[in-house]
Amino acid sequence: MDQELHYEYNVEGGDFSRAGYASSQIKKILKRLNIDAGVIKRTVVACYEAEVNIVAHAYSGAVYFDIESNRLKIVFRDEGPGIEDIEMAMTEGFSTASEEVREMGFGAGMGLSNMKKNADQLNIESEVGRGTRVEIIINT
Amino acid sequence: MKVSDIVRILDGRLVCGDNRSDYTIDVAFASDLMSDVLTLVNDNVLLITGLANLQTIRTAEMSDINCIVFARNKKVSQEMVSLAEESGISLIECRYSVFRTCGLLYQAGVKPVY
Amino acid sequence: MKVSEIVKALDLKVFSGSRGLEAEVSGGYVSDLLSDVMGNAEASQVWVTLQTHKNVMAVASLKDLAAVILVSGHRPDENTAAQSEEEGIPILGTGLSAFQVSGKLYELIGKK
Ligand SMILES: Nc1ncnc2c1ncn2[C@@H]1O[C@H](COP(=O)(O)OP(=O)(O)OP(=O)(O)O)[C@@H](O)[C@H]1O
Ligand SMILES: [Mg+2]
């Protein structure tokens, strides 16, 4: 990419009707830039999982999307309960999702491992009682 | 298999999307959990689900799924239709259980993703 | 048809609850939403799902289901397996996807 671009979106905790809006915008932007379809799919699947996690597990958050010369960087920052044990949270099948969230089709405990599979780099920092920062890097 | 064949086999209703004759589906996946669907790497997958909400459509959008069958007599909302139309996703309503839907399509030769 | 015949025909793994292998099966139900199973599954059906947590057995027992088949290589949580033993409702496993195992089960049972 010759041009560096930056976008931001808000994410509301608990609002499942809007969950995925940011990821959808990111998909549209990447399509316009003629990025490889496989790269787009990896990016938006990882983003969507991260976005839904804010909706499902946190109170509010924001997405910072940067298109850099040879990579995409997407940061998801939220105010929420944070993650006590990140390693445990990464285990497939581990989920603290509420019954309500499960009935929405989430809570399989597969989101973080999906992100890891699709991202070239996944960095998670979290502070219990404050919030979580998830950084997804995709090489283009 | 064409979208119109799926509608016929399931005695379903095509709510939106195109009946284009050249577009075909070979493999199917059944799930109500979206992260499970998001693990798929194949393209052109038919999604069979009993989860009818906006996130079903979002999930299809992210995983490049072009056709969804809503089993268990689930009704598609107008909001879901609008979102699906934006991404060119066909939606089919069907009154059978997910079990019967899978059975009928499997019998008709639709292959599993794995 | 008995649960044990399905285990054999579909080459399923028996994780727990083998006491219930001789129970009769009336059909199949595929769902990952517990409230849906609570509302719509019928007694003696085999439940095909990806869900592995403990509430699965609570639902299976309340609905008098014949067995649970975990798909895509999923394994029951420890609690879930223990409860399956207690209830005598088998938890079975397969590496196949829900679509395929349901397709085969439908063929096998040949109804509903
Ligand atoms: N942003 C977040 N804030 C607080 N906790 C989180 C956040 N993201 C993940 N977690 C914790 O990590 C667990 C695992 O997350 P993961 O995305 O893998 O699964 P899930 O969201 O529970 O279910 P699925 O993603 O399959 O729908 C969550 O259940 C939750 O406890
Ligand atoms: Mg998640």
Side-chain angles (χ1 to χ4, degrees), chain A residues 48-50 52-54 56-57 95 101 106-112 115, chain B residues 35:
Chain A
Y48 180 58
E49 291 283 15
V52 170
N53 274 357
I54 298 182
H57 308 297
S95 176
V101 167
F106 295 94
M110 297 170 76
L112 287 169
M115 282 182 232
Chain B
S35 292

Side-chain angles (χ1 to χ4, degrees), chain A residues 49-50 52-59 76 78-86 88-98 101-102 105-115 124 126 131-134, chain B residues 33-36:
Chain A
E49 291 283 15
V52 170
N53 274 357
I54 298 182
V55 176
H57 308 297
Y59 316 134
F76 297 81
D78 71 56
E79 282 165 33
I83 304 174
E84 217 171 88
D85 183 341
I86 294 178
M88 176 133 92
M90 296 288 304
T91 332
E92 211 179 295
F94 176 87
S95 176
T96 61
S98 64
V101 167
R102 288 180 198 272
F106 295 94
M110 297 170 76
L112 287 169
S113 44
N114 263 355
M115 282 182 232
I124 304 176
S126 191
T132 302
R133 178 184 183 276
V134 174
Chain B
L33 293 176
M34 296 303 107
S35 292
D36 182 29

Side-chain angles (χ1 to χ4, degrees), chain C residues 14-100:
Chain C
V14 179
F15 286 118
S16 56
S18 49
R19 209 152 37 87
L21 286 175
E22 295 314 305
E24 280 293 328
V25 173
S26 66
Y29 199 79
V30 186
S31 179
D32 304 311
L33 303 175
L34 301 194
S35 63
D36 168 55
V37 179
M38 277 306 287
N40 300 313
E42 287 165 21
S44 299
Q45 285 180 329
V46 170
W47 176 15
V48 177
T49 187
L50 189 78
Q51 294 275 18
T52 54
H53 63 93
K54 197 176 158 205
N55 293 350
V56 166
M57 282 320 297
V59 171
S61 138
L62 280 166
K63 297 296 288 189
D64 279 323
L65 301 181
V68 178
I69 302 181
L70 299 182
V71 299
S72 305
H74 283 253
R75 312 174 56 85
D77 299 348
E78 224 171 277
N79 282 331
T80 316
Q83 210 176 334
S84 143
E85 279 298 333
E86 226 168 87
E87 306 273 353
I89 301 176
I91 300 183
L92 313 171
T94 176
L96 302 180
S97 64
F99 177 75
Q100 186 165 23

Side-chain angles (χ1 to χ4, degrees), chain B residues 86-99:
Chain B
E86 259 179 53
S87 307
I89 301 168
S90 303
L91 305 182
I92 299 168
E93 286 176 351
C94 141
R95 63 179 195 282
Y96 300 151
S97 67
V98 172
F99 179 61

